[in-house]
Amino acid sequence: LGKGIVYCKDRPNFIANRIAAFGLFTAMRLMVEGDYSIEEVDRLTGGAIGRPKTATFRTADLVGLDTVVHIATNIAEALSDDQERPAYTIPPFLLEMVKRGWLGEKAGQGFYKRIKGAGGSEILVLDYKTMEYRQQRPVAFPSLDMTQGIEESGERLRALTSADDRAGHYVWQLLRETLLYAAHRIPEVADDIVSVDQAMKWGFGWEI
């Protein structure tokens, strides 16, 4: 099945869920800070950087937004390092979504919502500023066009993180913060970096 055994420490959310949760909340924070849209973030955090096409927000919808909030709350309460806790701050729009019962796929709507019309079904996306659903807008960044033809994940990621546009800036910030966070979890969650890499590849389908 292409899987294996990863040895980890008995710490909150172990390896993969700990790092993935950090990545998710960092992605949301950077989205708000840089004024990106949900569909822009998903375009930048999926196949473009060697991760599953469900990217950030489609993955959250599949997991369930109530589960996402529970994971963040659990980690924040269990951590003894006060400096790390702010990383798991739940953004107001996510708390409001859970309050409204917009829990993702299981509720019929989350960050995305499928509606049926005379011409078939359409998937709308949430505008987190207005808390209203709208039609998805085309996502166009020069660096994405430039790197689209690069098949090797590492080479594509190097090119994208070096790009001087909004896409390159976002991906670089997300990658930088996630890598630094993962590095600082050694030896807390595992004794070696290989275990971390294998956990993210086998557990979340990251190519690299």
Side-chain angles (χ1 to χ4, degrees):
L1 296 177
K3 305 294 182 180
I5 295 172
V6 173
Y7 292 95
C8 66
K9 305 288 185 67
D10 186 9
R11 295 293 296 151
N13 287 63
F14 303 108
I15 300 174
N17 283 333
R18 178 80 169 272
I19 294 172
F22 174 86
L24 170 61
F25 285 96
T26 300
M28 288 192 282
R29 175 177 57 79
L30 293 175
M31 175 182 72
V32 173
E33 290 177 354
D35 194 24
Y36 294 83
S37 67
I38 285 173
E39 62 263 48
E40 284 178 328
V41 171
D42 270 357
R43 182 69 176 81
L44 294 173
T45 58
I49 60 172
R51 297 183 184 178
K53 62 182 180 181
T54 51
T56 296
F57 293 106
R58 289 188 187 277
T59 297
D61 275 354
L62 290 172
V63 170
L65 304 190
D66 52 342
T67 301
V68 170
V69 168
H70 175 74
I71 289 171
T73 303
N74 177 64
I75 295 177
E77 290 177 350
L79 293 177
S80 58
D81 183 359
D82 292 338
Q83 290 182 330
E84 192 180 346
R85 286 177 181 165
Y88 295 98
T89 299
I90 303 167
F93 63 81
L94 179 54
L95 290 173
E96 180 62 25
M97 292 173 73
V98 173
K99 180 181 177 181
R100 296 186 185 190
W102 299 355
L103 305 180
E105 194 76 18
K106 60 187 175 184
Q109 65 188 96
F111 290 108
Y112 293 92
K113 178 182 181 181
R114 185 185 298 273
I115 61 171
K116 293 182 180 179
S121 62
E122 181 182 11
I123 299 177
L124 303 180
V125 66
L126 180 71
D127 184 329
Y128 63 91
K129 297 177 183 177
T130 64
M131 296 303 290
E132 295 179 352
Y133 290 95
R134 58 166 174 75
Q135 290 184 320
Q136 296 188 55
R137 298 165 182 160
V139 176
F141 293 112
S143 58
L144 281 180
D145 295 335
M146 176 188 70
T147 59
Q148 201 165 17
I150 304 176
E151 294 186 8
E152 202 277 313
S153 298
E155 185 181 348
R156 186 170 64 249
L157 196 57
R158 281 191 291 272
L160 189 54
T161 54
S162 300
D164 188 19
D165 67 352
R166 280 170 51 79
H169 297 164
Y170 182 91
V171 172
W172 168 239
Q173 288 181 87
L174 180 63
L175 181 67
R176 177 192 63 196
E177 293 195 30
T178 305
L179 284 173
L180 286 171
Y181 183 81
H184 291 157
R185 304 283 68 77
I186 302 292
E188 180 201 350
V189 300
D191 285 326
D192 59 90
I193 61 174
V194 174
S195 294
V196 173
D197 276 351
Q198 300 290 46
M200 301 315 299
K201 290 166 67 177
W202 292 336
F204 281 87
W206 294 9
E207 291 180 21
I208 51 176

